Amino acid sequence: MSSPTLTVEIRRSSGPVRYEIPARENQTVLDVVTEVQRRHAPDLAYRFACRVGVCGSCAMMVNGVPRWTCRTHVSKVAEGGGLTIEPLRNLPVIRDLVCDMTRFFEKWADRDAGAGAVFQGSATRDDPLPAIDPEDPARARANAGIECINCAVCYAACDVVAWDDGYLGPAALNRAWTLVNDVRAANSGAVKARAQAAGGCGSCHSHGACVEACPVGLNPTRSIAGLKRRSLAELFGLAG
């Protein structure tokens, strides 16, 4: 009796290539890619690090959906006994399954071309630590989006990013919202202004694809909605 096999199509730089590999119990998509690289295509380029759902570097498109491949079990996503694996959408491809993340991080961190959402403290090392009430509404809003690890899964899932390169994207705007609500951030005003400018929160169509795709259960759409509400309140002179 022959052992079960899995048909894997990988969209490589040279074009799509199909491989037949053994189907194993509790096999993850990252296991599949590793099997292909070790047994069939030693020149296959892909990224991974922790293998346990912490770093996010193994994100790829799996049957058209952006996922962390280390936490995606083949049994839950294989269609008709097969998988199609591609590099993340909305990012330039360096080679095979490896994407250039430069533009993604520019939109997140750059003060001119992006949200500039890098924390800048208002205190010095000589100042006492500020007392932050964990029950404070602003702190709760910041905490709700703070666990983003910049894996770019939401960026790959976003339809607006797909056709509007000027859009900052859900990860950058989610980060901006955390800083807007962080009383320790000296640059919260500047971050808010960039997040509300052209290509910012007003460009979001609230499709919610980022929410559905986020591997850690964040809700960037809610964060972006918060920026929109703040912008509208300021327009009508209602912001405190």
Side-chain angles (χ1 to χ4, degrees), residues 145-179:
I146 205 71
E147 296 298 329
C148 173
I149 63 169
N150 292 322
C151 66
V153 163
C154 64
Y155 192 85
C158 180
D159 291 328
V160 179
V161 171
W163 58 263
D164 182 3
D165 182 64
Y167 178 48
L168 296 179
L173 292 172
N174 176 76
R175 172 61 176 173
W177 181 239
T178 67
L179 291 184

Side-chain angles (χ1 to χ4, degrees), residues 132-147 174 177-178 181-183 218 222-223:
I132 304 295
D133 182 0
E135 301 300 323
D136 180 75
R139 187 65 248 170
R141 289 191 293 269
N143 287 343
I146 205 71
E147 296 298 329
N174 176 76
W177 181 239
T178 67
N181 287 283
D182 193 334
V183 298
L218 300 185
R222 181 172 57 199
S223 298

Side-chain angles (χ1 to χ4, degrees), residues 110-123:
D110 193 274
R111 298 180 186 179
D112 298 317
V118 177
F119 178 83
Q120 294 178 14
S122 56

Side-chain angles (χ1 to χ4, degrees), residues 26-230:
N26 296 325
Q27 196 172 28
T28 68
V29 175
L30 183 57
D31 291 334
V32 167
V33 176
T34 301
E35 178 93 14
V36 169
Q37 191 269 339
R38 289 180 178 176
R39 306 294 183 188
H40 302 279
D43 61 339
L44 176 65
Y46 65 106
R47 286 193 181 110
F48 73 96
C50 72
R51 302 182 67 93
V52 292
V54 174
C55 71
S57 61
C58 68
M60 304 170 198
M61 303 296 295
V62 181
N63 286 350
V65 178
R67 301 178 182 276
W68 287 357
T69 54
C70 71
R71 288 199 344 194
T72 301
H73 285 265
V74 172
S75 60
K76 296 182 178 180
V77 296
E79 298 174 355
L83 288 175
T84 298
I85 304 172
E86 306 168 80
L88 285 179
R89 193 173 69 129
N90 300 334
L91 291 163
V93 177
I94 297 174
R95 184 177 146 204
D96 296 336
L97 300 172
V98 178
C99 293
D100 185 348
M101 302 282 285
T102 302
R103 183 71 173 135
F104 170 78
F105 286 116
E106 284 177 347
K107 291 182 178 182
W108 195 91
D110 193 274
R111 298 180 186 179
D112 298 317
V118 177
F119 178 83
Q120 294 178 14
S122 56
T124 70
R125 65 178 60 196
D126 298 319
D127 295 324
L129 293 174
I132 304 295
D133 182 0
E135 301 300 323
D136 180 75
R139 187 65 248 170
R141 289 191 293 269
N143 287 343
I146 205 71
E147 296 298 329
C148 173
I149 63 169
N150 292 322
C151 66
V153 163
C154 64
Y155 192 85
C158 180
D159 291 328
V160 179
V161 171
W163 58 263
D164 182 3
D165 182 64
Y167 178 48
L168 296 179
L173 292 172
N174 176 76
R175 172 61 176 173
W177 181 239
T178 67
L179 291 184
V180 166
N181 287 283
D182 193 334
V183 298
R184 304 168 303 160
N187 59 328
S188 60
V191 171
K192 177 166 64 67
R194 283 188 286 268
Q196 294 172 342
C201 61
S203 297
C204 174
H205 289 193
S206 302
H207 290 167
C210 55
V211 182
E212 184 177 357
C214 180
V216 294
L218 300 185
N219 191 330
T221 300
R222 181 172 57 199
S223 298
I224 297 169
L227 290 166
K228 290 179 179 179
R229 288 193 301 271
R230 190 70 61 91

